[in-house]
Structure formats: C-alpha cells, structure tokens
Amino acid sequence: MPNPAGAYYDDGLTFWDDGSTYDSAIDPAAVLLTSSEHIPLNSTAMEYWEITKQRAQETLPVWTQYLPTFKVAGQGTAELTALIDGFEPLVQGRTDAQDTYDAAFRAAQDALLRMKGLGTKVPAIIEAHLDENAGIMKDVDDLYATATRSEGTILKRLRELLPVWTRANTVLAAQTPAQDAIVRTVGGVSYTVVSAKALLDGYTNLVKTMKDKEELLDRKRAELRAHDRAADQLNKRWYKAVKASNDPGSDVYEALNGITTEPTTPAPETIEIHTITQGGDGGLQVLVAYAPGGGAHATTKLVKWQVVGVDADFTHSTPLDPSGNALGPFQVGQTLKILTETTNSSGTRTTAPRTIVIVEPVV
C-alpha cells in the first residue's frame, strides 16, 4: 500500500516487493519459539494469590467490554488493572525476603553446629592430653554435665569450655618439651580458643540478623495477603453487583459464565514452611519444619520436592507430618525446591517453593 503523501523511507506505509514495510525490514518481528510439549497456562495446583489473580484477569475483559464506565465502591477497571499488575512485584518481594531469611537462618544453624562440634570434641582432646591432671579433669567432667541438645545448652557448653581450654593450653605450653595449643577443625575451619570465642561472640549478631529477616518476611507475606484480599474483594463486589443488576440472557450476564467462581466447599488452607535445613542421616537429608496452623479443610497434605536439573516438576512427595519431615538423603551439590500441597474437593493449593543446596555436612 503506497503512502498517499508520496513514498519515502520509514513512513510505515510503503511496502517493498516482498510485502514488508521499511520498518519491518529493518526491525523484523521476533521469531516465535516452539516447544516439544504443551505448556499449560494455569493449573489446579496454585498458590492462593494465583487463584485471585486469575479471576481478576477473567473479570477485567468482561468489565472493560460491557461496562467500561461502571464502578463499584468507587473502583473501576483502572483499579482492577492496578491490582492485577501489583501481584508480581509483591510476590517477588516475598520470594526475595524468603531467600534472605533462609540464608540467615542457615548461617545461625551453621554456627550452632560448629559450636556443638567444638563443645563435644575439644573436651575429649583435653582429656586425651591431660587425663592425669586432676584439676583439669574435674573441669572437663563438669562440662560433660551439660548435654548439647539445644541452642541454650550448646552455648552454655562452649561458654564453660573456653576457660578450661585456655587453662589446658597453659598446662601444655609448660610441659617439657612444650606442647602446641589445642586446635580443632570443624567443617573445614581450624578453631583455636580465640577463634572459638569469636564464633560464640558473633552468634548474637547472627541471631539478630535472622530475626530481622524473619520480620521482613512476615511483612512481605502480610503485604501480599492484603493485596490479595483487596483484589478478591473488588472481584466479588463487581460480580455480585453485575449479576444482580442484569437479567439472564443479556450479553453481560452470559459473559459472567467465563469468570471462575468459588466452590461451595472452602478451599484448603496452605501449610507454610517455616524452615528447611540440611541435617539428619549422614547430614545429607533436608529437615522441613512447618509454621503453626494451616491446613484447614484439607483432606490431603503433602510435602513435595524436585531436584533441580534432574526432575521436570515436583515429582516426589510424602505425607506432611506437622512435627516436621526428613527428606532424602541427597547428594552434595544437588539443589532442591520444596513446597507443601493441600487438597480437597474444591481443588489444590500450594505454597511458594523454598530452595536449598546440599553442601558437605559439618562434622
């Protein structure tokens, strides 16, 4: 088609012999990608916010086509569009906060494991070197009275060990010939009494960082929940108002059939993962702990996982134990994604995946 004003380059109207415009010849359209398998546009297993967003995306074109100027509670298509667009940034913010919290939690756990290892192994080293020193052995026996089974007892054992370790080094240095100070390697790091004290002192900051990141994660989750409620409320108000204001058989009334509505049975509540850590059998399992509550109306509760680069999807599952699950063992270097899934007759809901990389266990 020629340009009525006369052909010239880049006018967007004049075609080359092959049917392309100047613009299309310079900037060709992107080639469409093809796939060997069908990729579903949505799934029955979705997070709660995905359900709301999908319903909003079904509502918007009907609202725009049939009632573009209609507003409910002062809100119209512009507000619904903004709510739809607002989901992804909030989801990404929650995911980022989830990852930073997981990293902070694992750093604190790592420090605890290192302190537990020192509190267990160093007294045995002292005993091996100085079992004839009655004073030192009395102190070591006192250490063994504290079992290292919790955060508090791990810290207590190391706190009480440090002065005994220092005195043992003094006794070893006074021997003829002088003996080296005690050093114990844990998780690839060699600890002296000085660096062990630094590990203990630094634990407070690790806990503070972990708590700060947990608070951030809680806030990001709350922001996404609030946004979801706002979108869900606008969807439902509009649907109710339009259905009540129009008669069956009208175009807009019939168009409502294309919008997903909630079933009469309440959807199953999700069960949030609180933490995932490496440990258990040989230190190569993944230990999953869950947040209290959740799971209401669910008839099936599963924890599911996939090994990234090996599994195409979350193909592995086991019944969810509210007290926690131990998955695996896995191989060092594998990356796992883990989520929970709840199901009833109304459908299936999942949580956001959590990620962990299996590393060499600290022993």
Side-chain angles (χ1 to χ4, degrees), residues 16-297:
W16 300 102
D17 290 340
D18 65 358
S20 63
T21 65
Y22 177 88
D23 283 340
S24 65
I26 297 299
D27 187 17
V31 177
L32 293 177
L33 300 181
T34 61
S35 174
S36 60
E37 61 182 355
H38 173 67
I39 301 175
L41 295 180
N42 51 49
S43 168
T44 55
M46 293 189 281
E47 289 191 64
Y48 71 91
W49 64 268
E50 292 177 293
I51 303 296
T52 304
K53 183 181 178 183
Q54 176 181 290
R55 189 178 301 139
Q57 289 173 319
E58 294 169 351
T59 298
L60 184 60
V62 178
W63 193 342
T64 301
Q65 180 176 350
Y66 294 101
L67 301 165
T69 60
F70 178 75
K71 292 192 175 185
V72 57
Q75 295 181 297
T77 56
E79 285 75 18
L80 184 59
T81 299
L83 285 166
I84 293 171
D85 293 343
F87 273 107
E88 287 301 334
L90 290 170
V91 171
Q92 188 60 57
R94 182 204 59 181
T95 301
D96 291 344
Q98 192 170 269
D99 290 343
T100 56
Y101 168 70
D102 284 344
F105 177 82
R106 290 169 196 156
Q109 286 286 302
D110 176 78
L112 271 179
L113 286 173
R114 291 173 186 279
M115 289 186 285
K116 180 178 181 179
L118 292 172
T120 302
K121 303 300 182 180
V122 172
I125 296 173
I126 294 173
E127 187 174 6
H129 283 289
L130 301 171
D131 59 347
E132 295 181 356
N133 188 307
I136 295 291
M137 286 304 97
K138 170 66 168 59
D139 293 336
V140 169
D141 289 341
D142 290 342
L143 291 174
Y144 288 142
T146 302
T148 54
R149 297 194 182 96
S150 66
E151 177 189 41
T153 55
I154 290 171
L155 298 176
K156 184 175 186 289
R157 170 76 76 90
L158 184 57
R159 199 176 292 121
E160 294 174 347
L161 168 63
L162 291 174
V164 180
W165 191 345
T166 300
R167 289 198 297 275
N169 285 342
T170 300
V171 172
L172 290 171
Q175 290 181 349
T176 305
Q179 302 297 307
D180 292 336
I182 293 171
V183 176
R184 181 58 162 91
T185 299
V186 178
V189 178
S190 296
Y191 289 94
T192 65
V193 68
V194 173
S195 57
K197 182 178 185 304
L199 179 65
L200 178 64
D201 292 342
Y203 183 70
T204 299
N205 286 333
L206 290 177
V207 172
K208 180 182 183 303
T209 298
M210 179 184 71
K211 293 298 183 183
D212 288 345
K213 300 305 181 183
E214 184 175 26
E215 182 181 349
L216 175 62
L217 175 57
D218 289 343
R219 187 165 69 249
K220 293 299 181 181
R221 282 175 172 166
E223 289 172 358
L224 179 57
R225 287 280 182 185
H227 188 86
D228 177 80
R229 285 193 297 271
D232 185 56
Q233 186 178 57
L234 181 54
N235 278 335
K236 290 176 178 175
R237 283 177 171 174
W238 179 87
Y239 188 95
K240 183 177 181 180
V242 172
K243 191 168 186 178
S245 302
N246 294 272
D247 295 328
S250 65
D251 289 343
V252 65
Y253 191 97
E254 296 306 316
L256 295 180
N257 292 326
I259 299 173
T260 305
T261 57
E262 290 184 342
T264 53
T265 301
E269 287 186 2
T270 56
I271 300 174
E272 289 289 344
I273 294 174
H274 181 50
T275 58
I276 54 172
T277 52
Q278 183 176 332
D281 184 17
L284 292 174
Q285 288 185 300
V286 174
L287 309 181
V288 187
Y290 305 102
H297 313 298

